[in-house]
Amino acid sequence: MFENILLGFATAFTPENLAYCFLGVFLGTFIGVLPGLGSLAAISMLLPLTFYLEPTTALIMLGGIYYGGEYGGSIASILLNLPGTPSAAVTCLDGNPMAKQGRAGVALFITAIASFIGGSVGIVALMGFGPSIARLGLGFSPADYFALMLLGLVAAVTVGGGSVIKGLIMVVLGLLFGTIGTDVTTGDFRYTFDFLELRDGVSLVGMAMGLFGVSEVISSIRGSKTRTITEKVTARSMIPTRADIRKTFGPIARGSSIGGFLGALPGAGTVIAAFMAYATEVRLAKDKTRFGNGAIEGVAAPESANNAAAQTAFIPTLTIGIPGSATMSIMLGALMIHGISPGPLLISDHPTVFWGLIASFWIGNVFLLVLNIPLIGLWVRVLQFPYKYIYPVVIALICIGVFSMRTSVFDVSLVVIFGALGYLFQKTGYSPAPLILGFVLGPMLEENLRRAMLMARGDPVRMVSDPLTGSLLAISALMLVWAVLGGIRNIVAVRSKAKSVPLGEG
């Protein structure tokens, strides 16, 4: 372990990797500050910039964009009550009331400290459990991998909240998009409709940029007015009192633990981690009325949780090749674009990539701490900039990035199509995140299923009879049944409530 850590820091401390780590953290924070975009859109937009870099450098930059975006989302939440990322929505509950009380500086300082500690806990968990999980994954058969990937998809739909039916529809749609291109086994073209550009499949970058970049820009245009921030943030106003520090010890520790655990689970991610951490503090508080009115614990707990979850989300992605969230799907796609196969052999075959990336997380966390406290004035000015001047630049960067990949106008057309689809999904309540998960995992799911069926000589009973495969498939089935029953109970409760309302009041 000590030798691996030294190898990681020797890789991360090269001038090129340090520069791109700093650039990733800065750009991630900048885009995360803008309400409505966040780390997922940032990675989607900036992914083409990494194609000309070494794999390790590219991943270090993308990692910096990811956790930089998670931190940046909290700034808009506190100052404007507009969450830059979904997980930062919890920070609005107490962060913005603190700002209205003239304590915006303290809230931002505690956010920076909680994010740093939570991220550090997540990195330690990644270092400790990553290699062990990878060794465990070496014993998996193709049937086990198929069942594990299926469990990841089901968990992402059932655990992540929202409508299970809508989530399943999006996953299936993603699986269908994943079948477009050349069949890995037979070499035949499938569903290309005689488009030569589709013989290599749908572009992951084009799809991600359209679904998350263009659609977010379209939906954010309505809120393009100049925003005013009345709270003045100075270096002096960011100094917390002793009582503030004392109150945040426990919430940061509990939030980091909750986030570190949930981040590694498929379908949980930073959003659920932040909400659970906040709910835990409310439950433990003696005076629950403080929450929602500027309780500093309500800022510290969710911020430490979402940053810990952001780091531990890399555990299943890197060690067994199964992303637990849409953002990790993009990271998984970036690995494959650079010719690196994620999974149990990643650590042994590419140790500089794995340990260099982990070491860069430590450096990036320090960069976040050093950058964001002095540069808070810059982020305040960014928030006041009219959005109508920002979105044309974002759209132009997206189109340039996609076109530069294969110099194909067809890929730019795909971005436009997926952008319109993404906006339609948002308006109808369909989250595009399960679609990306299904699209990335679909080809691997199909490949492992085919291998498993060949090894079982076409007998599905023989494949399912394996204890591990059968157990994973049974868990997937139980989760689906549990989610469907929960949906039915909600429908029955709504209907019974509607019947109990007198006709005159209805």
Side-chain angles (χ1 to χ4, degrees):
M1 177 69 74
F2 184 69
E3 291 176 358
N4 288 329
I5 293 171
L6 288 179
L7 172 67
F9 277 104
T11 304
F13 269 117
T14 61
E16 184 181 19
N17 288 339
L18 278 175
Y20 279 102
C21 181
F22 180 86
L23 181 64
V25 167
F26 181 83
L27 291 176
T29 307
F30 177 81
I31 297 177
V33 165
L34 300 175
L37 292 179
S39 56
L40 184 55
I43 290 176
S44 302
M45 288 188 291
L46 300 175
L47 181 58
L49 296 179
T50 67
F51 292 164
Y52 311 101
L53 304 176
E54 291 293 322
T56 306
T57 307
L59 289 173
I60 285 174
M61 181 178 173
L62 289 173
I65 294 169
Y66 177 40
Y67 48 80
E70 289 298 322
Y71 173 79
S74 62
I75 298 174
S77 299
I78 292 169
L79 295 178
L80 291 172
N81 204 29
L82 294 172
T85 59
S87 58
V90 193
T91 311
C92 291
L93 299 176
D94 283 284
N96 190 248
M98 284 186 69
K100 289 178 178 177
Q101 296 166 10
R103 306 192 70 213
V106 175
L108 290 168
F109 181 83
I110 292 298
T111 294
I113 299 300
S115 299
F116 177 78
I117 296 173
S120 300
V121 170
I123 298 168
V124 170
L126 177 58
M127 293 170 63
F129 295 106
S132 303
I133 293 173
R135 284 192 293 271
L136 182 66
L138 287 172
F140 285 1
S141 67
D144 297 333
Y145 264 111
F146 164 74
L148 194 60
M149 290 176 185
L150 185 64
L151 177 62
L153 287 175
V154 172
V157 173
T158 56
V159 178
S163 170
V164 177
I165 301 299
K166 288 181 178 180
L168 286 173
I169 290 172
M170 297 302 284
V171 164
V172 171
L173 191 59
L175 293 173
L176 291 175
F177 278 124
T179 61
I180 297 173
T182 305
D183 189 305
V184 178
T185 306
T186 64
D188 294 331
F189 298 129
R190 302 186 300 186
Y191 312 116
T192 58
F193 302 102
D194 293 329
F195 284 105
L196 292 174
E197 295 87 352
L198 287 177
R199 292 187 177 182
D200 292 328
V202 177
S203 168
L204 170 65
V205 178
M207 176 184 281
M209 283 188 174
L211 289 175
F212 298 103
V214 175
S215 64
E216 288 290 351
V217 168
I218 295 171
S219 61
S220 298
I221 287 174
R222 290 185 176 181
S224 61
K225 297 178 182 178
T226 304
R227 304 170 181 91
T228 56
I229 298 174
T230 56
E231 296 77 24
K232 201 170 183 180
V233 181
T234 62
R236 191 178 186 85
S237 70
M238 297 180 76
I239 301 173
T241 64
R242 289 183 180 179
D244 291 331
I245 296 172
R246 189 171 59 251
K247 288 177 182 177
T248 54
F249 273 135
I252 289 176
R254 287 187 289 270
S256 301
S257 303
I258 292 169
F261 174 73
L262 290 177
L265 301 179
T270 57
V271 180
I272 292 180
F275 272 98
M276 282 197 65
Y278 186 84
T280 301
E281 294 310 311
V282 174
R283 197 172 295 114
L284 294 176
K286 294 179 180 178
D287 182 10
K288 295 179 174 53
T289 59
R290 293 176 54 249
F291 287 85
N293 295 301
I296 198 166
E297 301 95 318
V299 173
E303 283 302 312
S304 59
N306 68 31
N307 280 272
Q311 302 292 353
T312 54
F314 283 93
I315 294 177
T317 306
L318 296 176
T319 57
I320 53 179
I322 298 177
S325 65
T327 310
M328 287 297 105
S329 298
I330 306 297
M331 295 294 292
L332 193 70
L335 275 170
M336 294 187 286
I337 287 169
H338 284 281
I340 298 174
S341 299
L345 294 175
L346 172 66
I347 299 177
S348 56
D349 291 351
H350 305 280
T352 55
V353 173
F354 181 82
W355 292 105
L357 184 62
I358 289 179
S360 76
F361 291 162
W362 288 112
I363 298 168
N365 260 327
V366 174
F367 279 158
L368 272 178
L369 199 62
V370 173
L371 259 180
N372 288 294
I373 293 176
L375 292 183
I376 193 63
L378 172 64
W379 307 133
V380 171
R381 284 192 289 273
V382 167
L383 284 171
Q384 291 175 319
F385 203 72
Y387 195 74
K388 63 182 179 181
Y389 298 125
I390 296 175
Y391 76 80
V393 178
V394 172
I395 293 292
L397 288 174
I398 288 174
C399 294
I400 292 169
V402 173
F403 182 79
S404 66
M405 286 178 56
R406 298 187 293 189
T407 60
S408 170
V409 177
F410 183 83
D411 288 347
V412 179
S413 303
L414 282 180
V415 171
V416 175
I417 293 169
F418 281 114
L421 276 176
Y423 181 69
L424 181 64
F425 291 151
Q426 283 189 9
K427 300 300 287 184
T428 53
Y430 287 82
S431 171
L435 189 151
I436 285 286
L437 280 173
F439 177 75
V440 172
L441 286 181
M444 293 187 285
L445 195 76
E446 179 188 5
E447 186 178 351
N448 281 286
L449 177 60
R450 285 185 169 186
R451 287 179 181 175
M453 291 300 291
L454 284 171
M455 293 174 67
R457 299 183 181 275
D459 184 7
V461 176
R462 182 177 172 185
M463 185 184 79
V464 176
S465 61
D466 180 80
L468 181 57
T469 305
S471 300
L472 292 172
L473 291 174
I475 293 171
S476 300
L478 287 172
M479 290 182 74
L480 273 177
V481 171
W482 171 73
V484 170
L485 289 177
I488 293 172
R489 281 197 300 269
N490 290 336
I491 292 172
V492 171
V494 169
R495 287 184 176 177
S496 61
K497 186 177 180 180
K499 287 180 181 178
S500 64
V501 177
L503 289 175
E505 294 182 21

